[in-house]
Structures are given as C-alpha cells and as structure tokens.
Amino acid sequence: KLLRQGSLIAAFLGILCFIYGFIEPYWISTSYTKLTTSKFSTNTKPLKIAHFSDLHSDPKPRLETTLPELIAKEQPDIIVFTGDTLNSPNGLKVAKEFFSKLSKIAPTYVVKGNWDSWFWYNLDLFGETGVKELKSTSEKLSINGYNFWITGVPVGQANQIPKLLNQIPKDEFSILLYHYPDEIEDVAGQLDLYFAGHTHGGQIALPFYGALITYSKFDKKYESGLYKVKDTWLYVNRGIGMEGGNAPRVRFCARPELSIIEIYPSNN
C-alpha cells in the first residue's frame, strides 16, 4: 500500500513538474548587481546596464512583447545583448520588432551568437532596428559623465578579442560582449566587465545542483550569474528564450533572466 501511494505521489509530482516546465519560460526574473570601479570619477549616479542573451525568437512571440516594457521601467543607460537571436527565419519579424522597441529606450549594442553565426549568417538580423551590431569592433562611449569602452565580437572571431582589448587604454573602463563565457580565463585581467550568455543556466536545472548541461567548455564552472576572475567581472545571463531545433520549449529551475548591472565609482 505504501509503495502504491508513493508511486502515485511521484507520478503526480512528475506531472506538475512537466506542466511547470512549459510555464517557466514566461516567468522572467530580474537580477540586480552592483559593482564598483576606481576608473570612474565621483558621480551621483551609477552607470546602469541592462543585459540579456539568447532571445531565440520563434514565429510566435513569448517574452518579446513584455520584455521591452520591463527594461524601460529600469531606465538603463545602455542595453546589451550577447547573441542567439532566432530559432528559425520565421522568427525574424518578431525579433526585429523587439529590437526596434529596445533602441528607442536606450543605446543598444548587440553581437551574434553561435546560432546567428552558424545558421543565420545570410540574414539581416538587426538592420533598420536602430541597434548597433558590434562586428569585432570597439567603441568609446560617454554616458552620465562616465567614459568607457565597449567591445563586441561575434562567435567565430574569438581570435580578434586580444587585439581589440590591447587597443584600449588600461586606465579606462572596458566592457566585452561575447556569446560564450569560454574566453574568460584567457582575457581575465585585460578588461573590467565581460558579458556572456549561451548556457541558458542549463535551461533544465535541478534544485541545489543547478544546470545539467551548459555547452560550455568549463561545464558548470561559469553556468550563470556573476563571477570574478583576477580583476575581471564576468556576468553569464541565463537568456530569454530556449534552444531551437527539435528541443522542447521548456525551462525548469532556470527562469528567463534580465540582468541589471549598476557600476559605481569606488570612491563614492
């Protein structure tokens, strides 16, 4: 009798988890992180960055319709996206409408992820949306009186990262956008803040254990969230969408994430 009852409870919980896996993709989480740097002079406001990754747009919108409003409420100074835009060409219209809304909120910088570089290299992913695609390039920006550099590199051109970082003055704050977190140990100490995605936080994770699979060469070492390697901060965003192809569109214990990073002068 106890075995039968236990089996029924396990089956019931299994059904609930299965249903929840289709609910979580619509339940976005906003994370807040505060960092300091001696490279910014005293100011009353921080530099506020909204970061997200792995949109993976399908023909039918999911969070693409609600995320712009969430970002706008945060009033970021700059928005950054670290790649993987589409699951199929039929999602292009959804993605472009989404990015067009973002560019009206704040300057938006984007790079291509592995899906973008491998499968959609022949598509104009960001044209006429108002966002700025970084193609192994760096730009110097001035926002709220803070001067800093932003460098973006698409998947497939990681060999360009050292050269680009070497061109940035070491006494000026620098940010890198690259889809994989996998370059962190090679570039640590050469820049201040590295934004990445790709892992989806596992997309399917377990309580207390975390990601089952990350598709990172470091496995779970940098699966999601904030890390410090030497003097470089790495933030790995869990992403907004889900893996394409034949993979089921589910998330479990790895909610979609909008990351808000505030950078303060360390002498404040």
Side-chain angles (χ1 to χ4, degrees):
K1 183 178 179 180
L2 288 175
L3 182 61
R4 189 164 57 247
Q5 288 177 338
S7 298
L8 288 173
I9 291 171
F12 178 70
L13 291 176
I15 291 170
L16 287 181
C17 289
F18 178 79
I19 294 171
Y20 173 74
F22 290 94
I23 295 173
E24 188 173 280
Y26 296 88
W27 186 23
I28 193 167
S29 169
T30 304
S31 61
Y32 296 91
T33 302
K34 293 183 179 181
L35 304 176
T36 61
T37 178
S38 60
K39 296 180 180 179
F40 284 169
S41 59
T42 302
N43 201 324
T44 56
K45 290 181 63 179
L47 177 68
K48 193 172 189 179
I49 304 172
H51 170 222
F52 68 99
S53 193
D54 298 271
L55 190 63
H56 285 284
S57 288
D58 282 309
K60 183 179 179 181
R62 282 183 297 266
L63 293 173
E64 292 92 343
T65 55
T66 57
L67 184 56
E69 183 178 352
L70 290 176
I71 292 176
K73 287 181 179 178
E74 297 294 340
Q75 297 182 312
D77 298 304
I78 187 173
I79 302 168
V80 297
F81 169 66
T82 45
D84 275 8
T85 308
L86 308 177
N87 279 337
S88 77
N90 292 330
L92 183 59
K93 182 175 183 292
V94 171
K96 280 201 162 188
E97 289 177 353
F98 167 77
F99 282 110
S100 294
K101 292 176 182 177
L102 292 193
S103 66
K104 295 178 175 63
I105 298 170
T108 303
Y109 289 81
V110 303
V111 292
K112 287 181 176 178
N114 57 299
W115 278 70
D116 305 321
S117 296
W118 296 348
F119 305 125
W120 319 130
Y121 57 87
N122 59 339
L123 295 180
D124 180 9
L125 298 177
F126 307 112
E128 300 181 355
T129 63
V131 307
K132 174 71 174 183
E133 181 185 355
L134 295 172
K135 306 175 183 179
S136 291
T137 53
S138 300
E139 289 193 11
K140 186 172 183 178
L141 304 178
S142 181
I143 297 176
N144 285 345
Y146 295 134
N147 297 316
F148 62 98
W149 291 80
I150 185 165
T151 299
V153 176
V155 165
Q157 298 182 27
N159 62 335
Q160 298 297 309
I161 294 175
K163 179 182 71 175
L164 290 165
L165 295 181
N166 285 336
Q167 294 171 354
I168 298 173
K170 299 305 178 185
D171 61 343
E172 297 186 6
F173 195 86
S174 58
I175 296 170
L176 172 66
L177 309 184
Y178 187 64
H179 184 63
Y180 299 148
D182 294 358
E183 302 301 315
I184 181 57
E185 296 188 1
D186 290 332
V187 303
Q190 300 177 47
L191 73 156
D192 298 288
L193 180 56
Y194 177 161
F195 286 117
H198 183 64
T199 68
H200 296 206
Q203 193 167 311
I204 303 295
L206 295 179
F208 310 111
Y209 178 78
L212 297 178
I213 299 173
T214 65
Y215 295 111
S216 165
K217 73 177 184 181
F218 292 112
D219 194 21
K220 290 173 59 63
K221 190 174 182 180
Y222 305 110
E223 68 178 58
S224 66
L226 183 70
Y227 304 88
K228 191 170 188 181
V229 185
K230 295 182 181 178
D231 293 327
T232 299
W233 290 103
L234 166 69
Y235 199 97
V236 183
N237 181 271
R238 292 193 302 270
I240 298 299
M242 292 160 287
E243 193 75 11
N246 295 321
R249 303 297 196 265
V250 296
R251 279 182 176 265
F252 190 81
C253 291
R255 289 169 59 190
E257 180 185 23
L258 168 64
S259 311
I260 304 297
I261 311 291
E262 292 183 314
I263 307 169
Y264 291 83
S266 55
N267 56 355
N268 260 11

